[in-house]
Amino acid sequence: MPIAEQDVKWVQEPKLGLFGQLYLPLVMDGLTTTISHMFQKKVTEQYPEQEPKLPANYRGVHRLNRDHDGHVKCVACYMCATACPAHCIDIVAAPAPVGWTDREKYPETFVIDELRCIYCGMCEEACPVDAIELTTLYDLTGLSREQMIFDKEKLLSVFDMTTKAGTDPVRTQAGKLGPASEAPPQK
Amino acid sequence: MPTVYVNDKPVDIGTQRLNCVQAAELAGVMVPHYCYHPALTVVASCRMCLVEVGELKDGKVTMQPKVLPGCQTPVKDGSVIVTGDYVKKDKSVPALAYDPAYKPGVRAKGAQADTLEGLLLNHPLDCPVCDKAGECKLQDYSYEFGRSESRMVDSKNQPPNKPGISSKITLFTDRCIMCTRCVRFTREISGTAELTVTNRGHHSEIDVFPGHPLENKLAGNVVDLCPVGALGSKDFLYTQRVWYMKDVDGVCSLCSTGCSIHVDVNKDRVYRLRARENPDAQGYFMCDDGRYGYHFASAADRIARPQVKAGDAVKNAAWHEVLPTLKADIEAAAKKDAKGVVAVLSPFLTVEEAFLFATYFKGLSKDVRLVLGPVPVIGQDDKYPKDVKGNAVEPTKFTIRAEKCPNRRGVEAVLKQFQGSVIPFADVAAKAGSLAALVFVGGYPNKEAVEAAVGSGWTAPALLVVQDLFPTALTAAAKYVLPATASFEKDGTFVNHAGLAQTFPRATLPPKEARSELQIAFDLLGRRGLVQAAAIRKEVAKAIAAFAHLAEEKAPKAGKRLELQTI
Ligand code: SF4
Ligand code: SF4
Ligand code: SF4
Ligand code: SF4
Ligand code: FES
């Protein structure tokens, strides 16, 4: 839609008087601001000595959640990979190992390229069983590209780390697996 | 003219005997259905196709007071069908003279939503882990016609899965909607009747009879037929989500029936084959040999790059090195002893490839002989349905042919065009040792066919060039070994046992260094420019009268029946 004429407001630059054109008043103005800040509450954070407190919905490194048996919660439905705009999730699905009574499909491999990821959180939103979550871990470093490609074990270790540290409580609404992984009775 | 009115739109049904679903389809209106399948008997058990039916007589419409299953209700001249989609009808068509109190489409629409609610009562809704998700009729119809929430408060009925019903097929019992398509298929098409419904009402389950698992050569079709994710192919289970795959219209290359198939590929790998409806070729189904027979294309021992024998050792070589020497060798042999040069064109080649190779070899000298490669024949034609004793019953509904190659007739037509007669491979195989050169253009998915044709007491000719998919006795003796391509890796035309010519596009790229046969023929001929099967097809159409109608820019999907017997 083009901008209508009545929506445009024309502003004229104010003309400086003789007082304004003098050097000193403006210097004093600046100094006032500087000095006033010296007596205000400090806002600068001393990173990295002092770490920031991030909100729980911060979108940092992914983790793969574990279920009550310690198994990966993911049911390899590829919803995250399908939703991902950066195409950085790669999953290979397989029938769940014998003994996993609560589901029939699980991810044999689950790889996220953290360099390619744009940390949009779509994967978290798409997951029907709340298996993938973005944590508040933000200081992600690696010495090579390979180190930044997170596999299943690494993603699970992020889960262990963040839950132990208490920074990222599991946000699963239901507290248990979703309907997609309800127990399939075996014959 | 018999006219049927579908959502007020008149359609002429001619002399066809149709039901409401088919008549609506003629009018471009889709009536959702599960249990109805054009190749199976009608049982009208799912109730998804409920429509309002009436009659137009003397300008007045009388509607029946109940909704009726469209699949079971025949139409005649003056029939009126009102579907649940009446509100979406073409507004330019004037409404019929309904009773003012009648609200068209309201009852049908309500019935569709109620049917779906009933089907979903016990349905597990585990779409995220269900292989059918994305192509599931229950998903599609629920989205389109269903309600968004379940009112069910009781716990769902969860019968146990039955992975043991077949070695190739598993049953997720709780996802079944009891359409009985699978049961009717085994009773009517394969005739083997392994599947049945056990129990009653909401406790009905699909099952096999004890000790008689679902093992017949057509069994894989029940997976295609199942409108939901209840029957799953173990071969495909959990390997891909369907929305990642590209569906390419292919032609099965494993027998001369030449079934039309869907080739589902992702990233240059074939993940599954499904039957593609084609009344001219095979109908609605395909056999398991073909369905699971695509694995040869990704087998590890495939020849993937050209090899040249230097002394006793076989070395990999680059195409740009191989082709000039190969060409020089063949041409030298043809110059010296044209009668001793034989080109074997296998029935796995497309018509276009055979044509180009024939052009090349006949261009060397008129005396070069073109030979039809070994035609693998295994047993007898396998006809279905069968009775309990395994004997075929008339009328035949599906035939797996004994001739295990897709294009004997196409290659024969080319050979006849170039030299008037077809020389079978057996004629030259025995005297191969005395030949100056033998160029074997193969592409056999089953190497046994080649080895059997060659036999044990075989001596290699002076120059042996073999192009094939797998190492065989022939490639072991060859000076030049060239990789061949599978039918998924090329485009072209196959002519089936009945003379039906079907063109198909390429589905995947050939592995590693392999080049299509068409490309190799191009290189041998020294032609320049893009290798396009469609362009060659035009040449074939011009050169060979029987193929004249292949020249069309867009060949019909169902293929074209050729009058090949006339040449
Ligand atoms: S955060 Fe976004 S880009 Fe990163 S993996 Fe998830 S969906 Fe993909
Ligand atoms: S969406 Fe969730 S359950 Fe599905 S594959 Fe991704 S992480 Fe696994
Ligand atoms: S059969 Fe269809 S609706 Fe049922 S779980 Fe599978 S995809 Fe979902
Ligand atoms: S298994 Fe599939 S085809 Fe067979 S009755 Fe159930 S839903 Fe129908
Ligand atoms: S399709 Fe008509 S009742 Fe099932």
Side-chain angles (χ1 to χ4, degrees):
Chain A
M1 207 177 70
I3 300 168
E5 191 56 42
Q6 71 263 26
D7 292 340
V8 182
K9 196 170 154 193
W10 293 96
V11 187
Q12 208 78 89
E13 193 183 342
K15 245 189 144 62
L16 281 185
L18 176 68
F19 186 68
Q21 280 175 14
L22 286 175
Y23 176 60
L24 276 181
L26 289 180
V27 172
M28 292 313 291
D29 210 22
L31 276 178
T32 321
T33 309
T34 311
I35 292 164
S36 73
H37 271 282
M38 292 168 108
F39 300 101
Q40 275 174 16
K41 197 170 152 261
K42 291 191 178 70
V43 289
T44 313
E45 286 181 6
Q46 295 304 316
Y47 185 82
E49 287 79 22
Q50 186 191 355
E51 297 227 338
K53 243 185 116 52
L54 295 170
N57 61 358
Y58 184 84
R59 300 197 300 262
V61 181
H62 306 80
R63 71 177 180 198
L64 275 180
N65 291 348
R66 289 182 191 277
D67 62 12
H68 298 300
D69 298 330
H71 297 146
V72 58
K73 231 178 182 185
C74 167
V75 293
C77 67
Y78 291 72
M79 294 299 146
C80 51
T82 305
C84 178
H87 300 304
C88 61
I89 306 182
D90 188 76
I91 306 169
V92 175
V98 262
W100 290 31
T101 47
D102 59 347
R103 80 196 72 169
E104 27 204 295
K105 192 180 179 190
Y106 94 119
E108 201 165 37
T109 67
F110 192 111
V111 181
I112 301 182
D113 187 344
E114 299 283 351
L115 285 180
R116 210 166 167 190
C117 171
I118 55 166
Y119 299 94
C120 62
M122 298 286 238
C123 46
E124 178 173 0
E125 217 162 301
C127 183
V129 294
D130 299 325
I132 191 168
E133 282 179 347
L134 272 63
T135 66
T136 54
L137 273 191
Y138 59 90
D139 46 354
L140 186 62
T141 53
L143 294 175
S144 63
R145 282 175 187 274
E146 286 70 39
Q147 281 182 12
M148 300 297 282
I149 295 175
F150 280 30
D151 62 4
K152 194 168 75 181
E153 276 61 45
K154 202 152 175 185
L155 290 164
L156 284 169
S157 74
V158 176
F159 172 80
D160 296 338
M161 201 167 80
T162 48
T163 42
K164 209 188 278 159
T167 48
D168 296 271
V170 180
R171 294 196 289 276
T172 307
Q173 304 140 350
K176 62 175 175 93
L177 291 179
S181 57
E182 260 169 28
Q186 295 293 324
K187 200 180 194 182
Chain B
M1 281 288 149
T3 308
V4 172
Y5 299 85
V6 182
N7 290 348
D8 303 338
K9 186 177 167 191
V11 294
D12 174 17
I13 57 166
T15 54
Q16 304 174 81
R17 295 155 63 100
L18 304 177
N19 62 33
C20 294
V21 176
Q22 291 168 315
E25 199 186 331
L26 270 190
V29 177
M30 200 276 291
V31 176
H33 56 270
Y34 291 118
C35 67
Y36 169 67
H37 187 279
L40 303 174
T41 50
V42 173
V43 288
S45 66
C46 72
R47 303 276 138 173
M48 192 61 233
C49 63
L50 293 173
V51 287
E52 296 162 23
V53 181
E55 202 181 353
L56 178 73
K57 220 178 198 171
D58 312 326
K60 231 185 99 220
V61 181
T62 32
M63 296 302 287
Q64 303 218 20
K66 293 196 300 180
V67 282
L68 291 175
C71 64
Q72 206 186 27
T73 312
V75 291
K76 62 176 180 15
D77 185 27
S79 289
V80 173
I81 304 170
V82 174
T83 76
D85 279 340
Y86 186 83
V87 283
K88 292 189 213 147
K89 75 158 199 157
D90 184 1
K91 294 284 184 302
S92 60
V93 182
L96 298 174
Y98 298 113
D99 184 334
Y102 169 68
K103 298 210 168 43
V106 173
R107 272 185 290 146
K109 193 156 181 52
Q112 285 171 338
D114 292 346
T115 302
L116 277 170
E117 190 173 26
L119 289 176
L120 288 174
L121 276 187
N122 281 311
H123 197 81
L125 284 182
D126 47 1
C127 308
V129 292
C130 178
D131 265 354
K132 200 75 172 190
E135 55 179 17
C136 171
K137 285 276 177 290
L138 193 54
Q139 273 188 333
D140 295 354
Y141 294 167
S142 294
Y143 183 75
E144 210 165 331
F145 309 104
R147 55 170 77 235
S148 58
E149 266 167 49
S150 170
R151 294 182 290 174
M152 168 103 156
V153 288
D154 303 308
S155 59
K156 291 189 175 191
N157 182 18
Q158 283 198 319
N161 291 344
K162 294 172 188 159
I165 59 160
S166 161
S167 60
K168 299 213 176 70
I169 295 162
T170 174
L171 174 65
F172 297 96
T173 322
D174 49 356
R175 290 183 196 147
C176 173
I177 58 164
M178 277 300 143
C179 69
T180 69
R181 274 184 175 194
C182 54
V183 176
R184 278 175 287 148
F185 176 84
T186 56
R187 291 189 184 161
E188 294 162 18
I189 309 292
S190 73
T192 43
E194 293 100 340
L195 292 175
T196 190
V197 180
T198 60
N199 300 339
R200 293 178 145 212
H202 266 202
H203 295 283
S204 307
E205 284 176 30
I206 298 298
D207 210 338
V208 290
F209 294 100
H212 293 279
L214 176 58
E215 307 287 351
N216 65 63
K217 283 260 180 108
L218 299 182
N221 288 303
V222 297
V223 179
D224 288 356
L225 279 174
C226 185
V228 296
L231 288 163
S233 157
K234 287 183 183 170
D235 183 59
F236 176 69
L237 199 65
Y238 302 151
T239 54
Q240 277 289 306
R241 304 304 330 241
V242 296
W243 54 86
Y244 288 133
M245 295 190 299
K246 200 168 69 183
D247 162 6
V248 183
D249 289 343
V251 175
C252 179
S253 67
L254 295 189
C255 95
S256 62
T257 298
C259 290
S260 293
I261 52 174
H262 294 287
V263 185
D264 289 334
V265 292
N266 184 18
K267 296 187 187 146
D268 279 325
R269 211 186 115 186
V270 179
Y271 281 95
R272 98 182 145 171
L273 304 183
R274 287 174 297 137
R276 176 159 59 93
E277 180 190 329
N278 186 351
D280 290 332
Q282 89 285 12
Y284 295 88
F285 309 113
M286 71 184 292
C287 79
D288 282 8
D289 292 346
R291 182 183 299 271
Y292 304 119
Y294 64 88
H295 291 284
F296 76 87
S298 50
D301 58 340
R302 250 187 89 171
I303 300 168
R305 44 172 56 95
Q307 295 162 343
V308 181
K309 200 181 244 169
D312 272 346
V314 180
K315 278 211 309 237
N316 286 341
W319 281 105
H320 67 270
E321 295 160 10
V322 175
L323 280 170
T325 50
L326 169 68
K327 205 171 155 190
D329 277 0
I330 296 177
E331 276 157 24
K335 205 162 264 161
K336 224 165 74 200
D337 175 16
K339 280 203 166 60
V341 176
V342 166
V344 181
L345 303 184
S346 94
F348 283 90
L349 291 180
T350 64
V351 171
E352 293 84 347
E353 290 162 356
F355 177 79
L356 272 200
F357 275 115
T359 313
Y360 171 67
F361 285 106
K362 282 290 173 188
L364 293 178
S365 156
K366 249 192 12 264
D367 295 332
V368 172
R369 274 176 293 163
L370 300 177
V371 168
L372 177 68
V375 178
V377 175
I378 300 176
Q380 300 277 316
D381 284 0
D382 194 6
K383 295 202 169 108
Y384 290 86
K386 293 195 186 306
D387 61 14
V388 276
K389 297 202 187 75
N391 301 320
V393 183
E394 292 289 326
T396 302
K397 290 180 178 157
F398 195 91
T399 311
I400 309 172
R401 294 198 188 261
E403 188 178 301
K404 301 292 179 201
C405 58
N407 197 26
R408 175 181 58 82
R409 298 201 58 180
V411 174
E412 274 181 0
V414 172
L415 294 185
K416 277 189 197 152
Q417 172 75 19
F418 278 87
Q419 65 185 10
S421 67
V422 178
I423 310 171
F425 183 67
D427 282 10
V428 292
K431 299 179 288 238
S434 60
L435 295 176
L438 183 88
V439 183
F440 186 90
V441 188
Y444 286 83
N446 49 341
K447 47 184 159 193
E448 292 77 26
V450 181
E451 311 236 292
V454 167
S456 49
W458 187 77
T459 43
L463 173 66
L464 180 61
V465 183
V466 178
Q467 182 185 35
D468 213 339
L469 288 166
F470 296 103
T472 60
L474 274 185
T475 55
K479 175 160 185 219
Y480 295 95
V481 178
L482 305 178
T485 51
S487 61
F488 313 115
E489 292 152 11
K490 51 189 170 195
D491 47 1
T493 309
F494 283 156
V495 181
N496 81 350
H497 72 100
L500 180 78
Q502 300 185 77
T503 55
F504 54 93
R506 195 184 67 195
T508 65
L509 286 176
K512 294 185 189 144
E513 301 275 303
R515 282 185 183 178
S516 78
E517 281 80 353
L518 212 55
Q519 173 75 56
I520 295 169
F522 240 67
D523 294 341
L524 286 176
L525 279 164
R527 287 212 196 177
R528 291 178 182 276
L530 267 185
V531 180
Q532 281 182 320
I536 311 295
R537 204 171 303 137
K538 285 211 181 102
E539 284 180 38
V540 177
K542 215 180 275 165
I544 307 178
F547 289 110
H549 27 319
L550 276 187
E552 287 155 40
E553 204 58 59
K554 253 194 143 15
K557 269 194 173 178
K560 263 228 152 117
R561 210 165 282 281
L562 303 181
E563 295 307 326
L564 286 179
Q565 44 274 51
T566 55
I567 54 169

